[in-house]
Amino acid sequence: MSKTVVVVGGAMGIGGSCSRIFHQNNWNVAILDIADKGKELASELGSRCTFISCDASKESDVKDAIGSVIKEFGEIEGLVCSVGIQHYGTVTETSEEDWDRVMNVNVKSGFLCSKYAIPSMQRNGKGVVIIVSSVQAYISQNNVAVYTTSKTAQLGLTRSIAVDYGPQIRSVAICPGTVDTPMFRSSIALSPDPQEVYDECVEMHLTKRIGQPDEVGELIHFLAGDNAGFITGQAIRIDGGLGIVAAGSKRD
Ligand SMILES: NC(=O)c1ccc[n+]([C@@H]2O[C@H](COP(=O)([O-])OP(=O)(O)OC[C@H]3O[C@@H](n4cnc5c(N)ncnc54)[C@H](O)[C@@H]3O)[C@@H](O)[C@H]2O)c1
């Protein structure tokens, strides 16, 4: 029998790759997203895939969506929280409204989706919560005060779930470097010279390229499976070596 995964923010980007990869690997996939692209992806993937329109920062939406998933596919084994938004600004430039919006979408969504998926995982006998954070949980650029704060908070949520619900339920955070997704493309489009920003991003990574959504999706799929059964409470970086070079290091 197929296992069931809920991919929150599963319409596109890293979440979209997760939806495809889990589906290819015979999971039932429930895409929860605010974007209609989720509907298109679900109909492209066909049977064993459903789309549920859901604002993951709203408790009533999440409660109803998780209820529908259980009704359609049975108990949940995997939850991937890939939902996220970016906001640029320092602390003094960020309004209370923007702060709350980003924290709600990036952090509260993981809390709410876990709150309603974990009881189903417990009935299932086991489960995995995977939260997509960022290398910005460790290193920060200028002008990303609320984003970097939200990405750091996700590591605390991951640890709490691992400690409170192990051994039945594992929880892992993923910390990607720059990944070529719609979020990345709309971020660089804010610059007068998007190609220059793209090239700078490439240069920042030891791999001299940015990541692809499928590379992150494959890692997430591995972490959701039994072969990753000894990994919990951790934050796993998939970042092309971004941010580990000491100042003054020389390369030929
Ligand atoms: N792209 C990168 O370079 C990068 C790097 C590190 C971390 N991340 C993180 O990876 C995750 C996915 O990012 P991405 O680049 O794939 O972004 P994306 O914008 O390409 O995809 C995010 C998805 O979340 C959905 N979404 C947004 N708000 C929502 C809400 N309130 N409720 C439900 N769905 C909502 C969007 O519709 C979209 O389908 C985010 O948490 C992001 O912070 C991205």
Side-chain angles (χ1 to χ4, degrees), residues 12 14 33 54-56 82-83 132-133 147 151 176-177 179 181-183:
M12 61 184 116
I14 292 168
D33 207 296
C54 169
D55 180 342
S82 191
V83 52
V132 184
S133 170
Y147 184 78
K151 294 286 126 186
V179 183
T181 65
M183 177 195 270

Side-chain angles (χ1 to χ4, degrees), residues 33-215:
D33 207 296
I34 48 170
D36 283 344
K37 271 195 181 303
K39 202 176 193 170
E40 290 166 32
L41 180 56
S43 60
E44 182 198 320
L45 295 179
S47 67
R48 289 186 294 100
C49 185
T50 193
F51 168 72
I52 302 168
S53 178
C54 169
D55 180 342
S57 65
K58 295 211 175 108
E59 181 156 19
S60 56
D61 274 26
V62 172
K63 188 177 176 193
D64 291 351
I66 298 285
S68 305
V69 175
I70 297 167
K71 221 180 221 172
E72 184 163 354
F73 291 135
E75 304 300 356
I76 294 163
E77 183 152 334
L79 169 66
V80 178
C81 295
S82 191
V83 52
I85 52 172
Q86 176 62 282
H87 177 79
Y88 292 100
T90 61
V91 163
T92 49
E93 289 160 359
T94 302
S95 69
E96 183 182 10
E97 194 188 17
D98 284 332
W99 180 274
D100 288 345
R101 185 171 54 85
V102 175
M103 292 300 282
N104 287 343
V105 174
N106 292 6
V107 186
K108 191 173 152 193
S109 60
F111 150 63
L112 291 174
C113 294
S114 302
K115 177 174 172 174
Y116 289 99
I118 284 173
S120 175
M121 291 176 178
Q122 289 172 318
R123 292 190 295 272
N124 182 58
K126 64 174 179 170
V128 189
V129 176
I130 296 178
I131 296 180
V132 184
S133 170
S134 167
V135 285
Q136 295 207 41
Y138 300 99
I139 54 173
S140 302
Q141 299 168 294
N142 291 116
N143 297 316
V144 289
V146 64
Y147 184 78
T148 206
T149 302
S150 73
K151 294 286 126 186
T152 311
Q154 288 178 305
L155 304 194
L157 178 63
T158 304
R159 276 199 307 276
S160 286
I161 293 168
V163 170
D164 287 337
Y165 299 100
Q168 246 188 342
I169 291 165
R170 294 185 295 115
S171 178
V172 187
I174 308 294
C175 298
T178 307
V179 183
D180 197 355
T181 65
M183 177 195 270
F184 169 67
R185 292 284 168 175
S186 48
S187 292
I188 66 172
L190 297 172
S191 157
D193 188 350
Q195 186 60 45
E196 186 184 40
V197 183
Y198 184 97
D199 293 342
E200 279 169 14
C201 289
V202 166
E203 194 52 38
M204 285 188 310
H205 296 75
L206 291 180
T207 47
K208 298 303 168 203
R209 67 172 178 88
I210 61 170
Q212 292 302 317
D214 281 356
E215 294 178 289

